[in-house]
Amino acid sequence: MASIPSLAVSGAATAVPAVVAAKPLPSSAGFDKGGSYQRSTQAAENGRLESESPPRPLDAQEAMSMLKDGRTVQSAMYVPLLHRCVETRGLGAARALHGHMAKTGTVADMFVATSLVNVYMRCGASRDARSLFDEMPEKNVVTWTALITGYTLNSEAVLALEVFVEMLELGRYPSHYTLGGMLNACSAARRIDLGQQVHGYSIKYGADTITSMGNSLCRMYCKSGDLQSGLRAFKGTPDKNVITWTTMISSCAEDENYLELGLSLFLDMLEGGVTPNEFTLTSVMSLCGARLDMNLGKQVQAFCYKVGCEANLPVKNSTMYLYLRKGETDEAMRLFEEMDSSSIITWNAMISGYAQIMDSAKDDLHARSRGFQALKLFRDLVRSELKPDLFTFSSILSVCSAMMALEQGEQIHATTIKTGCLSDVVVNSALVNMYNKCGCIECATKAFVEMPTRTPVTWTSMISGYSQHGRSRDAIQLFEDMILSGAKPNEITFVSLLSACSYAGLVEEAERYFDMMRNEYHIEPLVDHYGCMVDMFVRLGRLDDAFSFIKRTGFEPNEAIWSSLVAGCRSHGNMELAFYAADRLLELKPKVIETYVLLLNMYVSTGRWRDVARVRKLVKHEDVGFLRDRSWIAIRDKVYFFRADDMTHPQATELYQLLENLLEKAKAVGYEPYQNAPELLSDSTEGDDDRPAAAAGSLIKHHSERLAVALGLLKTPPGATVRVTKNITMCRDCHSSIKYFSLLANREIVVRDSKRLHKFKDGRCSCGDFGALLL
């Protein structure tokens, strides 16, 4: 028998050569294409051990009674007791039985000892299993298979690989069940190279066409991300069962490039007469969710009723998640409330579903409503018998980040500590991101420093946080620390780093890191990297350098970059370049309404009425909607919503009086109102006249964020930070006035608009005053 060449186990100092045997596998190796498996192997595909049934089956109580009565001990008496240990995960009982076996000498029976090895493994006692295995005078292929599958079951896949190599070196022949267990171990250990060798071994002896082997091969390749190899293994399995089909369909559901193939396979499965089980239907429903295909999803839901799987929890979870993804929250909630029982997966599906559809909401009010629903669900989960897990915390912290809900985020932080989930790197990363997005960089830094493990995502999140808060030097230093730690930066890391250099105007550092990204880390610049470089030159007023950089690098600027150039050129008084950038911007037919507001402001302020008419015509043609000014502020678990010049708040009179007082004081210390406040495109803006109609923006006195800030100053204690969320970019007038408010009130004011975070303190903003030029 030829060997598996150079079988090496991860973590070993040297490669372990496979045994070289000179004869083919004997019949006891168990490669029976007919599906039967010789009694000598005594193993099932899932690792459970089988044997010839005793003459009269015993239950656990009867077997224990016979042992207590001191009757003649037969090995069959231990079988029901060992099964009971597996069912109850009774490690103590298994050890007691082991002692009794040793006393009666039954432990020398290979069948009973092999069963006990299996029990130890399933109870998580791999050391006991190995110790017993080493003491066994005789071992057959079933014993070896029990040890290999047991190690994999206990997340010790590398040890499983070592046992397999040891088995080959001793001249023992694996069965196809052994090879299937070995493939699972290779997948768990991410040793696909070894899995490919086992695949070759199975082909040589004709085991690859056995259904269970085909299932294991398909599963291994698909889990490694090689769906093409998985598909070849799938097609090479002549007798496909429901596990074969489900393995391939579920793998397609996890890769957006294979969604259509997954649905096609499901149809082929039905046409082939194979009845899907609950796992198949769960995967198919996930395919519908990934495609956002509600019509097909409802057909699959009807099919679930037809085959009797509608009450199955995983099927209901995936159905409920599909309704959430499509925004049908009422139907999803109905399914959720009708469930007789639920698991943490059910709660996670609901919470993460609400979190994901926040971005696809038709407006900001609906987005925040869904965010509040996710927070309510989390509160109900904490009060239930179930406990949130790592996925729950990651999802709900993302909701807090999106809503800038710092108070709720702090409460969730406390819960992660209480439940012991804070040590998880994913939860920690979500926590750092939440504090950054809420404008609390000190808390983010503390959470980052206390992390036991950091990933590139965590480093990048913290670098981005420092950049957003105007602490560019800290961002650069943290990047250098990241390099020293051995972590490898990715393209997003360099976006955050270059953004920090841009905010601080660090040209030499930016150019050095830009070259480092390309030459040392071989990352090709994306449009975001180019945008950071252009943004930096524009901030510094080096407009010619910005255009030269675009020409030299040869990249095509997108809508955001041309918008930045328009705003920068206008701010620095170079209207010729501003008009040139505006023409290039209009050629792209922008899809963002704020871009049109920027252009309208510029054309209105310069009296270019023909261009105003051209922009308005394009707005109607592209159907980009309307620009609505909305802001929110949370105070003592209550959220207050404002529109521009909103008079609906009960304390509106006090708010306007406070704003008038602050503006008068601000003028006394240098504040100058901008005369060209943004023309807001709202439902009331009509007409194709060359001259603008009386725009809503020209009549507005206070935009929504100023009203929200005023309420924060009025209702929060002295010294407390005021945090406001705004759905569009701040205008220059509001930005300038709030800077003075922070100085006059001696408060830190955080406003997160649609572009970035503004942290106002002592009359300064973390954006360096450039973040408000885009309107």
Side-chain angles (χ1 to χ4, degrees):
M1 181 183 73
S3 66
I4 300 179
S6 63
L7 268 171
V9 179
S10 176
T14 57
V16 181
V19 64
V20 178
K23 57 183 179 181
L25 288 172
S27 59
S28 62
F31 294 116
D32 186 349
K33 296 181 182 179
S36 64
Y37 189 41
Q38 297 195 17
R39 188 172 299 162
S40 62
T41 62
Q42 300 172 342
E45 179 185 353
N46 62 2
R48 295 198 176 194
L49 303 177
E50 297 176 349
S51 67
E52 186 176 1
S53 301
R56 184 172 64 83
L58 301 173
D59 60 26
Q61 186 174 359
E62 186 178 5
M64 182 60 73
S65 176
M66 292 176 70
L67 290 177
K68 287 180 178 179
D69 291 344
R71 301 184 192 180
T72 302
V73 176
Q74 298 178 354
S75 60
M77 293 182 182
Y78 292 102
V79 174
L81 298 175
L82 291 172
H83 282 312
R84 174 67 63 85
C85 292
V86 172
E87 292 171 358
T88 62
R89 294 188 65 84
L91 179 58
R95 286 172 174 162
L97 283 173
H98 187 178
H100 193 279
M101 291 175 190
K103 182 178 179 180
T104 60
T106 316
V107 74
D109 185 298
M110 184 175 62
F111 163 67
V112 174
T114 299
S115 298
L116 187 55
V117 168
N118 183 58
V119 171
Y120 275 140
M121 281 299 189
R122 290 184 175 273
C123 290
S126 56
R127 290 187 178 181
D128 294 66
R130 180 70 206 213
S131 177
L132 174 60
F133 176 87
D134 291 337
E135 293 172 0
M136 290 175 65
E138 292 184 53
K139 308 176 186 74
N140 63 7
V141 65
V142 183
T143 317
W144 289 94
T145 302
L147 197 64
I148 290 170
T149 56
Y151 274 132
T152 306
L153 182 68
N154 287 286
S155 303
E156 298 175 290
V158 172
L159 293 179
L161 304 183
E162 292 176 352
V163 170
F164 181 71
V165 173
E166 181 184 347
M167 178 184 182
L168 294 179
E169 288 180 331
L170 292 175
R172 299 301 181 94
Y173 300 122
S175 69
H176 66 272
Y177 292 114
T178 316
L179 295 179
M182 182 62 181
L183 289 171
N184 293 336
C186 292
S187 177
R190 301 183 185 277
R191 290 300 306 272
I192 306 305
D193 55 332
L194 293 184
Q196 290 170 333
Q197 294 182 53
V198 176
H199 188 181
Y201 188 101
S202 65
I203 292 174
K204 181 172 183 177
Y205 294 101
D208 61 313
T209 57
I210 298 174
T211 301
S212 62
M213 273 297 294
N215 294 346
S216 296
L217 286 167
C218 185
R219 186 184 306 115
M220 180 193 71
Y221 284 122
C222 289
K223 281 190 174 182
S224 70
D226 187 359
L227 261 70
Q228 286 298 326
S229 296
L231 189 60
R232 283 193 292 270
F234 171 81
K235 292 179 178 178
T237 306
D239 299 319
K240 302 177 181 66
N241 59 17
V242 65
I243 298 174
T244 320
W245 289 98
T246 301
T247 300
M248 201 65 228
I249 292 170
S250 63
S251 299
C252 291
E254 295 172 1
D255 191 324
E256 61 181 13
N257 297 317
Y258 290 88
L259 300 179
E260 297 299 329
L261 174 62
L263 292 173
S264 175
L265 288 172
F266 178 62
L267 294 177
D268 292 343
M269 177 185 182
L270 296 178
E271 291 174 357
V274 180
T275 303
N277 59 20
E278 63 269 23
F279 301 106
T280 320
L281 295 171
T282 299
S283 298
V284 174
M285 195 63 78
S286 297
L287 284 167
C288 297
R291 294 176 76 243
L292 296 178
D293 192 334
M294 179 56 74
N295 291 331
L296 183 59
K298 288 182 177 180
Q299 294 180 48
V300 176
Q301 186 181 11
F303 185 85
C304 292
Y305 278 93
K306 182 178 179 180
V307 298
C309 288
E310 77 283 355
N312 181 268
L313 190 57
V315 173
K316 294 188 79 169
N317 288 344
S318 57
T319 305
M320 181 182 66
Y321 191 66
L322 170 62
Y323 279 109
L324 277 175
R325 289 291 306 275
K326 285 295 291 182
E328 296 192 20
T329 55
D330 291 341
E331 182 64 20
M333 185 58 70
R334 184 188 65 80
L335 288 172
F336 177 73
E337 291 174 346
E338 288 178 355
M339 287 185 177
D340 295 329
S341 63
S342 61
S343 67
I344 187 61
I345 297 175
T346 311
W347 288 87
N348 286 345
M350 287 295 290
I351 292 171
S352 64
Y354 275 112
Q356 289 185 22
I357 61 177
M358 286 180 70
D359 292 334
S360 60
K362 63 181 181 180
D363 57 46
D364 299 278
L365 277 175
H366 281 80
R368 297 189 73 84
S369 173
R370 290 164 179 176
F372 283 123
Q373 188 62 47
L375 288 170
K376 180 180 180 298
L377 282 167
F378 179 78
R379 183 195 63 195
D380 294 342
L381 170 60
V382 172
R383 294 174 178 175
S384 72
E385 296 179 354
L386 297 171
K387 299 299 179 186
D389 62 7
L390 306 178
F391 190 85
T392 320
F393 286 119
S394 177
S395 297
I396 199 63
L397 284 170
S398 71
V399 172
C400 295
S401 299
M403 298 178 64
M404 213 162 99
L406 178 62
E407 188 172 345
Q408 290 83 354
E410 289 174 332
Q411 295 171 9
I412 294 166
H413 185 179
T415 308
T416 64
I417 297 173
K418 182 179 179 181
T419 57
C421 292
L422 188 58
S423 59
D424 181 75
V425 66
V426 176
V427 175
N428 252 311
S429 299
L431 192 64
V432 169
N433 184 60
M434 184 273 295
Y435 280 124
N436 278 331
K437 292 289 183 66
C438 290
C440 192
I441 190 66
E442 293 79 11
C443 294
T445 302
K446 186 174 184 294
F448 177 82
V449 169
E450 292 176 352
M451 289 182 68
T453 306
R454 301 184 183 101
T455 65
V457 174
T458 316
W459 287 97
T460 300
S461 179
M462 198 65 234
I463 292 169
S464 175
Y466 280 135
S467 174
Q468 286 277 312
H469 286 77
R471 295 169 59 168
S472 298
R473 291 293 180 184
D474 289 333
I476 293 171
Q477 182 59 56
L478 191 62
F479 176 80
E480 297 295 342
D481 293 342
M482 177 183 181
I483 301 301
L484 289 174
S485 73
K488 186 177 179 181
N490 55 30
E491 59 269 16
I492 302 176
T493 313
F494 278 103
V495 170
S496 300
L497 181 64
L498 293 174
S499 180
C501 295
S502 171
Y503 294 155
L506 304 174
V507 177
E508 292 183 6
E509 288 85 346
E511 291 177 337
R512 178 165 63 87
Y513 289 127
F514 190 85
D515 293 337
M516 176 191 293
M517 176 182 68
R518 303 181 68 176
N519 301 328
E520 293 185 28
Y521 293 96
H522 308 292
I523 298 174
E524 284 301 313
L526 303 175
V527 67
D528 289 338
H529 300 113
Y530 290 118
C532 290
M533 299 297 289
V534 171
D535 183 72
M536 176 183 64
F537 288 123
V538 171
R539 283 171 177 268
L540 295 172
R542 295 167 56 173
L543 304 177
D544 290 334
D545 289 336
F547 281 94
S548 297
F549 178 81
I550 294 173
K551 185 176 181 181
R552 183 173 72 253
T553 54
F555 81 98
E556 289 294 329
N558 62 7
E559 180 178 338
I561 294 175
W562 283 121
S563 296
S564 176
L565 284 166
V566 171
C569 292
R570 181 187 174 199
S571 175
H572 292 290
N574 192 329
M575 298 310 298
E576 182 180 354
L577 286 178
F579 294 142
Y580 170 80
D583 288 339
R584 303 289 80 75
L585 179 57
L586 287 171
E587 288 175 0
L588 299 178
K589 296 183 178 179
K591 302 300 181 184
V592 179
I593 183 61
E594 291 176 76
T595 302
Y596 292 100
V597 176
L598 168 69
L599 295 173
L600 280 173
N601 282 334
M602 181 179 70
Y603 289 137
V604 168
S605 64
T606 54
R608 296 171 67 105
W609 306 118
R610 291 186 181 275
D611 288 322
V612 169
R614 179 164 60 115
V615 171
R616 284 187 168 180
K617 184 176 180 180
L618 193 57
V619 167
K620 288 187 176 181
H621 182 268
E622 295 298 320
D623 191 25
V624 292
F626 301 101
L627 189 66
R628 297 180 174 89
D629 180 15
R630 308 284 188 268
S631 291
W632 295 265
I633 183 171
I635 302 173
R636 300 187 191 91
D637 281 336
K638 188 173 181 181
V639 177
Y640 299 89
F641 163 77
F642 289 96
R643 297 181 176 87
D645 280 346
D646 201 331
M647 294 294 296
T648 59
H649 193 275
Q651 294 177 278
T653 303
E654 295 176 64
L655 295 181
Y656 280 86
Q657 185 177 357
L658 176 60
L659 283 175
E660 292 301 322
N661 292 337
L662 286 171
L663 289 172
E664 286 300 319
K665 292 179 181 178
K667 290 176 183 177
V669 293
Y671 163 66
E672 294 182 4
Y674 284 93
Q675 298 302 318
N676 56 336
E679 177 187 88
L680 293 180
L681 293 175
S682 66
D683 306 77
S684 61
T685 306
E686 299 176 353
D688 294 321
D689 186 16
D690 283 352
R691 285 185 172 272
S698 61
L699 302 176
I700 289 174
K701 188 169 185 178
H702 297 298
H703 288 146
S704 62
E705 68 268 38
R706 281 216 295 226
L707 293 168
V709 167
L711 182 67
L713 294 175
L714 193 66
K715 299 196 69 169
T716 57
T721 300
V722 175
R723 289 182 170 84
V724 173
T725 309
K726 183 176 172 68
N727 68 326
I728 60 174
T729 307
M730 293 182 72
C731 74
R732 287 192 287 180
D733 185 55
C734 289
H735 187 274
S736 177
S737 62
I738 293 176
K739 280 199 307 180
Y740 284 96
F741 293 172
S742 70
L743 177 65
L744 294 169
N746 194 24
R747 293 282 198 104
E748 183 176 88
I749 301 173
V750 178
V751 180
R752 198 176 79 197
D753 65 17
S754 61
K755 299 293 183 183
R756 58 164 298 132
L757 182 139
H758 302 268
K759 194 168 186 177
F760 301 94
K761 189 174 182 179
D762 298 328
R764 294 183 177 86
C765 180
S766 58
C767 76
D769 292 346
F770 191 79
L773 296 181
L774 295 180
L775 270 186

